[in-house]
Amino acid sequence: MPSPVRVPAVLGLPLLVLLTAAPAASAADGWSLAPGGGSRPSFYAEGAPGAVLQDTVSVTNRSGRAVTVRLSGRGVRAVFARSRVRVPARTRADIPFTVSAPGDRSGEIVARDQDGRTATAPLRLRAGGPELSALTVEQVAVHADRITYDLVNRGTTTLVPTLAVHADGLLGPVLDRAPRTLPVRLAPGRRLRLTEPWRDHPALDAVDVRLTVTAPGGARGSAAASARFVPWSGVAGAAGAVTAGGALLLVRLRRRGRRPAREAPEHAGADVELTGAVR
């Protein structure tokens, strides 16, 4: 690929050229795909991380009828002047396209015709400039049996991260997992949602969980979250017992209040009111 250039706001239209020589066939019957501007076997681009690079792909139709192809990128994000191109008989179409270079990457430019036949041309991207390893840990959350979090590659190199997990409860450490390599490859700019199982967490405790992630090249990120574990079924049972006991006590008190007061016993010398005739 030619030296990196910044892409103009609008790419030029495909250039149609009448064939004067027979180029080498690429893949499909009657038409072929190849890097434009020469006999290159593949595309190659090199630029600063994040730079937008431009090149041209050629679709050559050596048949006696027009062919229509759709262009796309596989493994790379490519933007074409036109993704659908009609190439007349015995004509070559040169289509400008752009790709970005977030990091070292390999892919293909793919063309597919109306009959489903495809042709491909390899493409290799290399992000030049200084390499930077950087990552962050975000969106940490503690759930009933797991810890979820996001890893974000903030640098220019692909990372294979290592994770360590530590948690402190009210009475001291309750979780301490040594660093281990995660089975992921994090490309530059990529965000990945991950889950860390924690099925043996405390039944009743307030914990502070910290995740620490490192990667070769000095990348390091850390984030924390807090959570409270409460055995709600046990709490509900205890609350029910307390409620039942209180209700029973209240009923007893009400029944006692409704009983009539016993008559006071008569004492000697007490004044008594007499009724009836007196002789």
Side-chain angles (χ1 to χ4, degrees):
M1 190 175 275
S3 59
V5 294
R6 290 289 175 180
V7 180
V10 179
L11 292 173
L13 297 179
L15 174 64
L16 299 178
V17 180
L18 186 65
L19 292 179
T20 57
S26 175
D29 183 19
W31 60 273
S32 62
L33 181 76
S39 57
R40 294 178 292 161
S42 62
F43 296 98
Y44 177 80
E46 182 175 355
V52 179
L53 314 174
Q54 180 177 342
D55 204 335
T56 302
V57 61
S58 296
V59 179
T60 302
N61 181 11
R62 302 185 65 250
S63 69
R65 64 184 182 93
V67 62
T68 299
V69 299
R70 289 187 176 275
L71 299 169
S72 62
R74 180 184 297 162
V76 295
R77 181 174 296 178
V79 178
F80 299 87
R82 284 186 182 176
S83 59
R84 184 177 182 272
V85 182
R86 184 179 183 275
V87 187
R90 292 177 291 277
T91 303
R92 186 186 78 236
D94 296 330
I95 304 98
F97 70 94
T98 63
V99 291
S100 60
D104 294 351
R105 188 168 300 180
S106 296
E108 293 176 324
I109 299 299
V110 182
R112 180 185 298 271
D113 68 10
Q114 63 270 23
D115 298 322
R117 296 172 298 186
T118 61
T120 61
L123 186 150
R124 168 71 172 166
L125 293 176
R126 184 177 184 278
E131 293 185 351
L132 174 63
S133 296
L135 57 79
T136 57
V137 186
E138 303 176 7
Q139 303 296 327
V140 178
V142 182
H143 303 276
D145 60 351
R146 67 194 186 279
I147 305 167
T148 59
Y149 60 100
D150 287 358
L151 280 186
V152 187
N153 188 341
R154 302 292 184 182
T156 61
T157 63
T158 298
L159 302 177
V160 179
T162 297
L163 171 69
V165 185
H166 185 84
D168 288 318
L170 294 176
L171 301 180
V174 294
L175 179 64
D176 192 14
R177 293 181 182 173
R180 76 179 194 281
T181 301
L182 298 175
V184 299
R185 290 180 61 85
L186 199 61
R190 186 183 178 192
R191 175 184 292 270
L192 190 61
R193 186 70 168 173
L194 296 174
T195 298
E196 180 73 7
W198 192 16
R199 297 182 180 87
D200 57 345
H201 61 74
L204 178 62
D205 206 346
V207 299
D208 295 321
V209 178
R210 177 165 294 278
L211 306 183
T212 302
V213 180
T214 58
R220 179 183 177 87
S222 182
S226 299
R228 294 181 179 180
F229 294 109
V230 179
W232 290 113
S233 59
V235 171
V242 171
T243 302
L248 180 60
L249 179 60
L250 181 61
V251 169
R252 289 181 177 178
L253 291 175
R254 286 182 177 178
R255 287 180 179 177
R256 182 175 299 179
R258 290 176 181 176
R259 291 179 182 175
R262 294 182 179 179
E263 295 181 357
E266 294 183 1
H267 298 282
D271 294 335
V272 178
E273 181 181 359
L274 301 178
T275 60
V278 176
R279 294 181 180 179

